[in-house]
Coordinates of all heavy atoms in Angstrom, one line a residue:
M11 N 54.0 122.0 61.3 CA 53.8 123.1 62.1 C 52.4 123.0 62.7 O 52.1 123.5 63.8 CB 54.0 124.4 61.4 CG 55.5 124.8 61.2 SD 55.6 126.4 60.6 CE 56.9 126.2 59.5
R12 N 51.5 122.5 61.9 CA 50.0 122.5 62.3 C 49.8 121.7 63.5 O 49.1 122.1 64.4 CB 49.2 122.0 61.1 CG 47.7 121.9 61.6 CD 46.9 121.6 60.4 NE 47.0 122.7 59.5 CZ 46.1 123.1 58.6 NH1 45.0 122.4 58.5 NH2 46.2 124.1 57.8
K13 N 50.5 120.5 63.6 CA 50.3 119.6 64.7 C 50.8 120.3 66.0 O 50.2 120.2 67.1 CB 51.0 118.3 64.5 CG 50.3 117.4 63.5 CD 51.0 116.1 63.4 CE 50.3 115.3 62.3 NZ 51.0 114.0 62.2
L14 N 52.0 120.9 65.9 CA 52.6 121.6 67.0 C 51.6 122.8 67.5 O 51.4 122.9 68.7 CB 54.0 122.2 66.7 CG 54.7 123.0 67.8 CD1 55.0 122.1 69.0 CD2 56.0 123.6 67.2
W15 N 51.1 123.5 66.5 CA 50.2 124.6 66.9 C 48.9 124.1 67.6 O 48.5 124.7 68.6 CB 49.8 125.4 65.6 CG 48.8 126.5 65.9 CD1 47.5 126.4 65.5 CD2 49.0 127.7 66.6 NE1 46.9 127.6 65.9 CE2 47.7 128.3 66.6 CE3 50.1 128.3 67.2 CZ2 47.6 129.6 67.2 CZ3 49.9 129.5 67.9 CH2 48.6 130.1 67.8
E16 N 48.4 123.1 67.0 CA 47.1 122.5 67.6 C 47.4 122.0 69.0 O 46.6 122.1 69.9 CB 46.6 121.4 66.7 CG 46.0 122.0 65.4 CD 45.6 120.9 64.4 OE1 45.8 119.7 64.7 OE2 45.0 121.3 63.4
K17 N 48.5 121.3 69.2 CA 48.9 120.8 70.5 C 49.0 121.9 71.5 O 48.5 121.8 72.7 CB 50.1 119.9 70.4 CG 50.4 119.1 71.7 CD 51.5 118.1 71.4 CE 51.5 117.2 72.5 NZ 51.4 115.8 72.2
I18 N 49.7 122.9 71.2 CA 49.9 124.0 72.1 C 48.6 124.8 72.4 O 48.3 125.2 73.5 CB 51.0 125.0 71.6 CG1 52.4 124.3 71.5 CG2 51.1 126.3 72.4 CD1 53.4 125.1 70.8
E19 N 47.8 125.0 71.3 CA 46.6 125.7 71.4 C 45.6 125.0 72.3 O 44.8 125.6 73.1 CB 46.0 125.9 70.1 CG 44.9 126.9 70.0 CD 44.5 127.2 68.6 OE1 44.4 126.3 67.8 OE2 44.2 128.4 68.3
S20 N 45.7 123.6 72.4 CA 44.7 122.9 73.2 C 45.1 122.9 74.7 O 44.3 122.5 75.5 CB 44.7 121.4 72.7 OG 46.0 120.8 73.0
K21 N 46.2 123.4 75.0 CA 46.7 123.5 76.4 C 46.0 124.6 77.2 O 46.0 124.6 78.4 CB 48.2 123.7 76.6 CG 49.0 122.6 76.0 CD 48.7 121.3 76.7 CE 49.6 120.2 76.1 NZ 49.3 118.9 76.6
G22 N 45.3 125.6 76.5 CA 44.6 126.6 77.2 C 45.4 127.8 77.7 O 44.9 128.5 78.6
F23 N 46.5 128.0 77.1 CA 47.3 129.3 77.4 C 46.6 130.5 76.7 O 45.7 130.3 75.9 CB 48.7 129.2 76.8 CG 49.5 128.1 77.4 CD1 50.1 127.1 76.6 CD2 49.7 128.0 78.8 CE1 50.8 126.1 77.1 CE2 50.5 127.0 79.3 CZ 51.1 126.0 78.5
S24 N 47.0 131.7 77.1 CA 46.5 132.9 76.5 C 47.0 132.9 75.1 O 48.0 132.2 74.7 CB 46.9 134.1 77.3 OG 48.3 134.3 77.1
K25 N 46.4 133.7 74.2 CA 46.8 133.8 72.8 C 48.3 134.2 72.7 O 49.0 133.6 71.9 CB 45.9 134.8 72.0 CG 44.8 134.1 71.4 CD 44.2 135.1 70.3 CE 43.0 134.5 69.7 NZ 43.2 133.7 68.6
E26 N 48.7 135.2 73.4 CA 50.1 135.7 73.4 C 51.1 134.6 73.8 O 52.1 134.4 73.2 CB 50.2 137.0 74.2 CG 51.5 137.6 74.0 CD 51.6 138.9 74.8 OE1 50.6 139.6 74.9 OE2 52.7 139.3 75.2
D27 N 50.8 134.0 74.9 CA 51.6 132.9 75.4 C 51.7 131.7 74.4 O 52.7 131.1 74.2 CB 51.2 132.4 76.8 CG 51.4 133.4 77.9 OD1 52.3 134.3 77.6 OD2 50.8 133.3 78.9
T28 N 50.6 131.4 73.8 CA 50.5 130.3 72.8 C 51.4 130.7 71.7 O 52.2 129.8 71.2 CB 49.1 130.1 72.3 OG1 48.2 129.8 73.5 CG2 49.0 129.0 71.4
R29 N 51.4 131.9 71.2 CA 52.2 132.3 70.0 C 53.7 132.3 70.4 O 54.5 131.8 69.6 CB 51.8 133.7 69.6 CG 50.5 133.7 68.9 CD 50.1 135.1 68.5 NE 48.7 135.0 67.9 CZ 47.9 136.0 68.0 NH1 48.2 137.2 68.6 NH2 46.7 135.9 67.4
R30 N 54.0 132.8 71.6 CA 55.4 132.8 72.0 C 56.0 131.4 72.2 O 57.1 131.1 71.7 CB 55.6 133.5 73.3 CG 55.4 135.0 73.2 CD 55.6 135.6 74.6 NE 55.4 137.1 74.5 CZ 55.3 137.9 75.5 NH1 55.4 137.4 76.7 NH2 55.2 139.2 75.3
L31 N 55.2 130.5 72.8 CA 55.6 129.1 73.0 C 55.8 128.4 71.6 O 56.7 127.6 71.4 CB 54.6 128.4 73.9 CG 55.0 127.0 74.3 CD1 56.4 127.0 75.1 CD2 53.9 126.4 75.2
F32 N 54.8 128.7 70.7 CA 54.9 128.1 69.4 C 56.2 128.5 68.7 O 56.9 127.6 68.1 CB 53.7 128.4 68.6 CG 53.8 128.0 67.1 CD1 53.6 126.7 66.8 CD2 54.1 128.9 66.1 CE1 53.7 126.3 65.4 CE2 54.2 128.5 64.8 CZ 54.0 127.2 64.5
L33 N 56.5 129.8 68.7 CA 57.7 130.2 68.0 C 59.0 129.7 68.7 O 59.9 129.3 68.0 CB 57.8 131.8 68.0 CG 56.8 132.5 67.1 CD1 56.9 134.0 67.2 CD2 57.1 132.1 65.6
L34 N 59.0 129.6 70.0 CA 60.1 129.0 70.7 C 60.3 127.5 70.3 O 61.4 127.1 69.9 CB 60.0 129.2 72.2 CG 61.1 128.5 73.0 CD1 62.4 129.3 72.9 CD2 60.6 128.4 74.5
L35 N 59.3 126.7 70.4 CA 59.4 125.3 70.2 C 59.6 125.0 68.7 O 60.4 124.1 68.4 CB 58.1 124.6 70.6 CG 57.9 124.6 72.1 CD1 56.6 123.9 72.5 CD2 59.1 123.9 72.9
N36 N 59.0 125.8 67.8 CA 59.3 125.6 66.4 C 60.7 125.9 66.0 O 61.4 125.2 65.3 CB 58.3 126.5 65.6 CG 58.2 126.0 64.2 OD1 58.0 124.9 63.9 ND2 58.2 127.0 63.2
S37 N 61.3 127.0 66.6 CA 62.7 127.3 66.4 C 63.6 126.2 66.9 O 64.6 125.8 66.3 CB 63.0 128.7 67.0 OG 62.3 129.7 66.5
M38 N 63.3 125.7 68.1 CA 64.1 124.6 68.7 C 64.0 123.4 67.8 O 65.0 122.7 67.6 CB 63.6 124.3 70.1 CG 64.0 125.4 71.1 SD 63.3 125.2 72.7 CE 64.1 123.7 73.2
K39 N 62.8 123.1 67.3 CA 62.7 121.9 66.5 C 63.5 122.0 65.2 O 64.2 121.0 64.9 CB 61.2 121.7 66.1 CG 60.9 120.6 65.2 CD 59.4 120.4 64.9 CE 59.0 121.5 63.9 NZ 57.6 121.3 63.4
F40 N 63.5 123.1 64.6 CA 64.3 123.2 63.3 C 65.8 123.4 63.6 O 66.6 123.0 62.8 CB 63.7 124.4 62.5 CG 62.5 124.0 61.7 CD1 61.3 124.3 62.1 CD2 62.6 123.2 60.6 CE1 60.1 123.9 61.4 CE2 61.5 122.7 59.9 CZ 60.3 123.1 60.3
S41 N 66.1 123.9 64.8 CA 67.5 123.9 65.2 C 68.1 122.5 65.4 O 69.2 122.2 65.0 CB 67.7 124.7 66.5 OG 67.4 126.1 66.2
L42 N 67.3 121.7 66.0 CA 67.7 120.3 66.2 C 67.8 119.6 64.8 O 68.7 118.7 64.6 CB 66.7 119.5 67.1 CG 66.8 119.9 68.5 CD1 65.7 119.2 69.3 CD2 68.1 119.5 69.1
C43 N 66.9 119.9 63.9 CA 67.0 119.3 62.5 C 68.3 119.8 61.9 O 68.9 119.0 61.2 CB 65.8 119.7 61.7 SG 64.2 119.0 62.2
G44 N 68.6 121.1 62.0 CA 69.9 121.6 61.5 C 71.1 120.9 62.1 O 72.1 120.6 61.4
F45 N 71.0 120.6 63.4 CA 72.1 119.9 64.0 C 72.2 118.5 63.5 O 73.3 118.0 63.3 CB 71.9 119.9 65.6 CG 72.9 119.2 66.3 CD1 74.2 119.7 66.4 CD2 72.7 117.9 66.9 CE1 75.2 119.0 67.1 CE2 73.7 117.3 67.6 CZ 74.9 117.8 67.7
A46 N 71.1 117.8 63.3 CA 71.1 116.5 62.7 C 71.7 116.4 61.3 O 72.5 115.6 61.0 CB 69.7 115.9 62.7
V47 N 71.4 117.4 60.5 CA 71.9 117.5 59.2 C 73.4 117.8 59.3 O 74.2 117.2 58.5 CB 71.3 118.6 58.4 CG1 72.0 118.9 57.1 CG2 69.8 118.3 58.1
W48 N 73.9 118.6 60.2 CA 75.3 118.9 60.3 C 76.0 117.6 60.8 O 77.1 117.4 60.3 CB 75.6 120.0 61.4 CG 77.0 120.2 61.6 CD1 77.9 120.8 60.8 CD2 77.8 119.7 62.7 NE1 79.2 120.7 61.4 CE2 79.1 120.1 62.5 CE3 77.4 119.0 63.9 CZ2 80.1 119.7 63.5 CZ3 78.4 118.6 64.8 CH2 79.7 119.0 64.6
L49 N 75.4 116.8 61.7 CA 76.0 115.6 62.1 C 76.3 114.6 60.9 O 77.3 114.0 60.8 CB 75.2 114.8 63.1 CG 75.3 115.4 64.5 CD1 74.3 114.6 65.4 CD2 76.7 115.3 65.1
L50 N 75.4 114.6 60.0 CA 75.5 113.8 58.8 C 76.6 114.4 57.8 O 77.5 113.7 57.3 CB 74.2 113.7 58.0 CG 73.1 112.9 58.7 CD1 71.8 113.0 57.9 CD2 73.5 111.4 58.8
V51 N 76.6 115.7 57.6 CA 77.5 116.3 56.7 C 78.9 116.4 57.3 O 79.9 116.2 56.6 CB 77.0 117.8 56.4 CG1 78.1 118.6 55.7 CG2 75.7 117.7 55.6
S52 N 79.0 116.5 58.6 CA 80.3 116.6 59.2 C 81.2 115.4 59.1 O 82.4 115.4 59.2 CB 80.2 117.0 60.7 OG 79.7 115.9 61.4
R53 N 80.6 114.3 58.8 CA 81.4 113.0 58.5 C 82.2 113.1 57.3 O 83.2 112.5 57.1 CB 80.5 111.8 58.5 CG 79.8 111.6 59.8 CD 79.0 110.3 59.8 NE 78.2 110.2 61.0 CZ 78.6 109.5 62.0 NH1 79.8 108.9 62.0 NH2 77.8 109.4 63.1
F54 N 81.8 114.0 56.3 CA 82.4 114.1 55.0 C 83.1 115.4 54.8 O 84.2 115.5 54.3 CB 81.4 113.9 53.9 CG 80.6 112.6 54.0 CD1 79.3 112.7 54.4 CD2 81.2 111.4 53.8 CE1 78.5 111.5 54.6 CE2 80.4 110.2 54.0 CZ 79.1 110.3 54.3
A55 N 82.5 116.5 55.3 CA 83.1 117.8 55.2 C 82.5 118.8 56.2 O 81.5 118.4 56.8 CB 82.8 118.4 53.8
L56 N 83.0 119.9 56.3 CA 82.4 121.0 57.2 C 82.3 120.5 58.6 O 81.3 120.7 59.3 CB 81.1 121.4 56.7 CG 81.0 121.8 55.2 CD1 79.5 122.1 54.8 CD2 81.9 123.0 54.9
G57 N 83.3 119.9 59.2 CA 83.3 119.3 60.5 C 83.6 120.1 61.7 O 83.6 119.6 62.8
T58 N 83.8 121.4 61.5 CA 84.2 122.3 62.6 C 82.9 122.8 63.4 O 81.8 122.7 62.9 CB 85.0 123.5 62.2 OG1 84.2 124.3 61.3 CG2 86.3 123.0 61.5
I59 N 83.2 123.2 64.6 CA 82.1 123.7 65.4 C 81.4 125.0 64.8 O 80.2 125.2 65.0 CB 82.6 124.0 66.9 CG1 81.4 124.2 67.8 CG2 83.5 125.2 67.0 CD1 80.6 122.9 68.1
E60 N 82.2 125.8 64.1 CA 81.7 127.0 63.4 C 80.6 126.6 62.4 O 79.5 127.3 62.3 CB 82.7 127.8 62.7 CG 83.7 128.4 63.6 CD 84.9 127.6 64.1 OE1 85.0 126.4 63.5 OE2 85.6 128.0 64.9
W61 N 80.8 125.5 61.7 CA 79.8 125.0 60.8 C 78.5 124.5 61.5 O 77.4 124.7 61.0 CB 80.3 124.0 59.8 CG 81.1 124.6 58.7 CD1 82.5 124.6 58.6 CD2 80.6 125.3 57.6 NE1 82.9 125.3 57.5 CE2 81.7 125.7 56.9 CE3 79.4 125.7 57.2 CZ2 81.6 126.5 55.7 CZ3 79.2 126.4 56.0 CH2 80.3 126.8 55.3
A62 N 78.7 123.9 62.6 CA 77.6 123.4 63.4 C 76.7 124.6 63.9 O 75.5 124.5 63.8 CB 78.1 122.7 64.7
I63 N 77.4 125.7 64.3 CA 76.6 126.9 64.7 C 75.9 127.4 63.5 O 74.7 127.9 63.6 CB 77.6 127.9 65.3 CG1 78.1 127.4 66.6 CG2 76.9 129.3 65.5 CD1 79.3 128.2 67.2
C64 N 76.5 127.4 62.3 CA 75.8 127.9 61.1 C 74.6 127.1 60.8 O 73.5 127.6 60.5 CB 76.7 128.0 59.9 SG 78.0 129.3 60.0
F65 N 74.7 125.8 60.8 CA 73.6 124.9 60.5 C 72.5 125.0 61.5 O 71.3 125.1 61.1 CB 74.1 123.4 60.5 CG 74.7 123.0 59.1 CD1 76.0 123.3 58.8 CD2 73.9 122.2 58.3 CE1 76.5 122.9 57.6 CE2 74.4 121.8 57.1 CZ 75.7 122.1 56.7
I66 N 72.8 125.1 62.7 CA 71.8 125.2 63.8 C 71.2 126.6 63.7 O 69.9 126.7 63.8 CB 72.5 125.0 65.2 CG1 72.9 123.5 65.3 CG2 71.5 125.3 66.3 CD1 73.8 123.3 66.5
G67 N 71.9 127.6 63.6 CA 71.4 129.0 63.7 C 70.6 129.4 62.5 O 69.5 129.9 62.6
Y68 N 71.0 129.1 61.3 CA 70.3 129.4 60.1 C 69.0 128.7 60.0 O 68.0 129.2 59.7 CB 71.1 129.2 58.8 CG 72.1 130.3 58.6 CD1 73.5 130.1 58.6 CD2 71.7 131.7 58.4 CE1 74.4 131.1 58.3 CE2 72.6 132.7 58.2 CZ 73.9 132.4 58.2 OH 74.8 133.4 58.0
S69 N 69.0 127.4 60.3 CA 67.8 126.6 60.2 C 66.8 127.0 61.3 O 65.6 127.1 61.1 CB 68.0 125.1 60.2 OG 68.6 124.8 61.5
G70 N 67.3 127.3 62.5 CA 66.4 127.7 63.6 C 65.8 129.0 63.4 O 64.6 129.2 63.7
F71 N 66.6 130.0 62.8 CA 66.0 131.3 62.6 C 65.1 131.4 61.4 O 64.0 131.8 61.4 CB 67.1 132.4 62.6 CG 66.6 133.8 62.3 CD1 65.9 134.4 63.4 CD2 66.7 134.4 61.1 CE1 65.4 135.7 63.2 CE2 66.3 135.7 60.9 CZ 65.6 136.3 61.9
F72 N 65.7 131.0 60.2 CA 65.0 131.2 59.0 C 63.8 130.3 58.8 O 62.7 130.7 58.4 CB 66.0 131.1 57.8 CG 66.8 132.3 57.6 CD1 68.2 132.2 57.9 CD2 66.3 133.6 57.3 CE1 69.0 133.3 57.8 CE2 67.1 134.7 57.2 CZ 68.5 134.6 57.4
I73 N 64.0 129.0 59.1 CA 62.9 128.1 58.9 C 62.0 128.1 60.1 O 60.8 128.1 60.0 CB 63.5 126.7 58.6 CG1 64.3 126.7 57.3 CG2 62.3 125.7 58.4 CD1 65.1 125.4 57.1
G74 N 62.6 128.0 61.3 CA 61.9 127.9 62.5 C 61.1 129.2 62.9 O 59.9 129.2 63.0
Y75 N 61.9 130.2 63.1 CA 61.3 131.5 63.6 C 60.5 132.2 62.5 O 59.3 132.5 62.7 CB 62.3 132.4 64.2 CG 61.7 133.6 64.9 CD1 61.2 133.5 66.2 CD2 61.6 134.8 64.3 CE1 60.6 134.5 66.8 CE2 61.0 135.9 64.9 CZ 60.5 135.7 66.2 OH 59.9 136.8 66.8
L76 N 61.1 132.5 61.4 CA 60.4 133.2 60.3 C 59.3 132.4 59.7 O 58.2 132.9 59.4 CB 61.4 133.7 59.3 CG 62.4 134.8 59.7 CD1 63.3 135.2 58.6 CD2 61.7 136.0 60.3
G77 N 59.6 131.1 59.5 CA 58.5 130.2 59.0 C 57.3 130.1 59.9 O 56.2 130.1 59.5
G78 N 57.6 130.0 61.2 CA 56.6 130.0 62.2 C 55.8 131.3 62.3 O 54.6 131.3 62.5
F79 N 56.5 132.4 62.1 CA 55.9 133.7 62.1 C 54.9 133.8 60.9 O 53.8 134.3 61.1 CB 56.9 134.9 62.0 CG 56.3 136.2 62.0 CD1 55.8 136.8 63.1 CD2 56.3 136.9 60.8 CE1 55.2 138.1 63.0 CE2 55.8 138.2 60.7 CZ 55.2 138.8 61.8
L80 N 55.4 133.4 59.8 CA 54.5 133.4 58.6 C 53.3 132.5 58.8 O 52.2 132.8 58.4 CB 55.2 133.0 57.3 CG 56.3 134.1 56.9 CD1 57.1 133.5 55.7 CD2 55.7 135.4 56.6
Y81 N 53.5 131.4 59.4 CA 52.4 130.4 59.7 C 51.4 131.1 60.7 O 50.2 131.0 60.5 CB 52.9 129.2 60.4 CG 51.8 128.2 60.7 CD1 51.3 127.4 59.7 CD2 51.4 128.1 62.0 CE1 50.3 126.5 60.1 CE2 50.4 127.2 62.3 CZ 49.8 126.4 61.3 OH 48.8 125.5 61.7
L82 N 51.9 131.8 61.7 CA 51.0 132.5 62.6 C 50.2 133.6 61.9 O 49.1 133.9 62.2 CB 51.8 133.1 63.8 CG 52.3 132.1 64.8 CD1 53.1 132.7 65.9 CD2 51.1 131.3 65.4
C83 N 50.9 134.3 61.0 CA 50.2 135.3 60.2 C 49.0 134.7 59.4 O 47.9 135.3 59.3 CB 51.1 136.1 59.3 SG 52.3 137.1 60.1
K84 N 49.2 133.6 58.9 CA 48.2 132.9 58.1 C 47.1 132.4 59.0 O 45.9 132.4 58.7 CB 48.8 131.7 57.4 CG 47.8 131.0 56.5 CD 48.4 129.7 55.9 CE 48.3 128.7 57.0 NZ 48.4 127.3 56.6
E85 N 47.4 131.9 60.3 CA 46.4 131.4 61.2 C 45.6 132.5 61.8 O 44.5 132.2 62.3 CB 47.1 130.6 62.3 CG 47.6 129.3 61.9 CD 46.5 128.3 61.6 OE1 45.5 128.3 62.4 OE2 46.6 127.7 60.6
S86 N 46.0 133.7 61.8 CA 45.3 134.8 62.5 C 44.2 135.4 61.7 O 43.7 136.5 62.0 CB 46.3 135.9 63.0 OG 46.9 136.5 61.9
K87 N 43.8 134.8 60.6 CA 42.7 135.4 59.8 C 41.5 135.5 60.5 O 41.0 134.8 61.3 CB 42.5 134.5 58.6 CG 43.6 134.4 57.6 CD 43.1 133.7 56.4 CE 44.1 132.8 55.8 NZ 43.7 132.0 54.7

């Protein structure tokens, strides 16, 4: 997360726009990771589209958005 934050922060956006873009990109990154995990798991079990939505949504929200929010809380000291 630190590399993503530093890369976005170096672009010169306002603080609010930087935070919004970071949360969006972090959520997308972890959603793609969830999709990749589902692609691996779907070969053996849980191969329906409903499971894909679960893998993508839960990883994007809980790890991506909430994890990014906690990271931003730590960074705003």
Side-chain angles (χ1 to χ4, degrees):
M11 281 190 221
R12 176 174 296 210
K13 288 182 182 181
L14 179 63
W15 174 253
E16 289 172 355
K17 188 166 193 131
I18 294 171
E19 195 173 38
S20 70
K21 299 295 181 188
F23 297 123
S24 69
K25 268 197 183 272
E26 187 174 328
D27 289 341
T28 303
R29 290 178 182 150
R30 286 181 182 170
L31 186 60
F32 171 75
L33 287 176
L34 175 71
L35 292 178
N36 200 45
S37 297
M38 289 174 60
K39 177 178 75 171
F40 281 101
S41 293
L42 287 173
C43 290
F45 180 69
V47 169
W48 175 77
L49 282 176
L50 293 172
V51 170
S52 69
R53 296 185 186 265
F54 308 106
L56 310 175
T58 62
I59 193 71
E60 290 86 6
W61 281 105
I63 293 169
C64 289
F65 274 79
I66 293 168
Y68 281 119
S69 63
F71 179 72
F72 286 111
I73 301 171
Y75 187 79
L76 291 180
F79 178 76
L80 293 174
Y81 179 80
L82 287 177
C83 288
K84 184 186 80 156
E85 283 294 314
S86 65
K87 291 187 219 178

